[in-house]
């Protein structure tokens, strides 16, 4: 079955750029899904960061839009997140996820990666 | 800056019924966008519990049910069990500010 696996540095310096990759295995990233990033600061709730379609179309959380870039690499069956100008407030577990749609039920996440903790600290 | 408000916590004894509310507005739930629910056990990724307001994925016990009315939605657990102790999140779409998927603030369910 399809699985998602996040990878990237666990520690990023303040003002630097956080960069993560999500590898999609067991299925194609070119399927009719949106591929998304969601984060969760320690002890807090979930925050949607943004998403990408295999065509390259993207949507971002308005509160993060100026700092976020999500890209897709179909040849490697993976998608990536870059978050610039990070501060301690960006410390969180970052999840990659798959949004699917069922007719009449809207778009929802049916598949999550295990998540990776990224700490912003000098 | 979630725009879906949930109670921080609810609790109940085993076998009881508990309900979690998810209150939105005219730019999200009230606009007709669907609501989905996720369960997050400690230290794990969230898991889909309810999609499209009322539908249960295969494998989710039928003691979990969802509903939606106006600008709000609810998740009900009938016959609470110890393994239901977890964090629960609603999720929808908001059309303001260019459009964005949004999560609720989260509710911790405790089994007494």
């Amino acid at each position: 079955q399809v699985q998602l696996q996040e990878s990237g540095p666990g520690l990023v310096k303040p003002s630097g750029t956080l960069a993560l990759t999500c590898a999609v295995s067991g299925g194609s990233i070119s399927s009719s899904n949106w591929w998304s990033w969601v984060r969760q600061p320690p002890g807090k709730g979930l925050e949607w960061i943004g998403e990408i379609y295999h065509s390259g179309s993207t949507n971002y959380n308005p509160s993060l839009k100026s700092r976020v870039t999500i890209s897709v690499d179909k040849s490697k069956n993976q998608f990536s997140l870059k978050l610039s100008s990070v501060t301690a407030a960006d410390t969180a577990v970052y999840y990659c996820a798959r949004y699917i749609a069922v007719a009449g039920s809207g778009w929802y996440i049916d598949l999550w990666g295990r998540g990776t903790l990224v700490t912003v600290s000098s | 800056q979630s725009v879906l408000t949930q109670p921080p916590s609810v609790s109940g004894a085993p076998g009881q019924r508990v309900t979690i509310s998810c209150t939105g507005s005219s730019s999200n739930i009230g606009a007709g966008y669907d609501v989905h629910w996720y369960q997050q056990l400690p230290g794990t990724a969230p898991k889909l519990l309810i999609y499209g307001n009322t539908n249960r994925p295969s494998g989710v016990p039928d003691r979990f049910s969802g509903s939606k009315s106006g600008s709000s939605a609810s998740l009900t657990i009938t016959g609470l069990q110890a393994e239901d102790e977890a964090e629960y999140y609603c999720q929808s779409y908001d059309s303001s500010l260019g459009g964005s998927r949004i999560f609720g603030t989260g509710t911790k369910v405790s089994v007494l």
Side-chain angles (χ1 to χ4, degrees), chain B residues 70-89:
Chain B
S71 296
S72 296
S74 294
L75 173 72
T76 298
I77 309 174
T78 304
L80 194 63
Q81 297 188 8
E83 59 260 37
D84 299 333
E85 188 158 290
E87 195 82 21
Y88 293 82
Y89 295 92

Side-chain angles (χ1 to χ4, degrees), chain B residues 3-89:
Chain B
V3 294
L4 298 181
T5 302
Q6 300 178 231
S9 64
V10 299
S11 61
Q16 284 191 330
R17 183 174 80 171
V18 297
T19 297
I20 302 168
S21 60
C22 174
T23 303
S25 67
S26 59
S27 62
N28 43 70
I29 299 175
Y33 294 108
D34 292 297
V35 178
H36 320 291
W37 291 89
Y38 304 89
Q39 176 193 61
Q40 186 176 33
L41 298 171
T44 68
K47 165 194 164 186
L48 180 66
L49 207 58
I50 297 286
Y51 67 94
N53 307 312
T54 61
N55 304 292
R56 277 189 314 276
S58 172
V60 172
D62 61 6
R63 65 178 182 273
F64 293 96
S65 63
S67 65
K68 175 187 163 186
S69 178
S71 296
S72 296
S74 294
L75 173 72
T76 298
I77 309 174
T78 304
L80 194 63
Q81 297 188 8
E83 59 260 37
D84 299 333
E85 188 158 290
E87 195 82 21
Y88 293 82
Y89 295 92

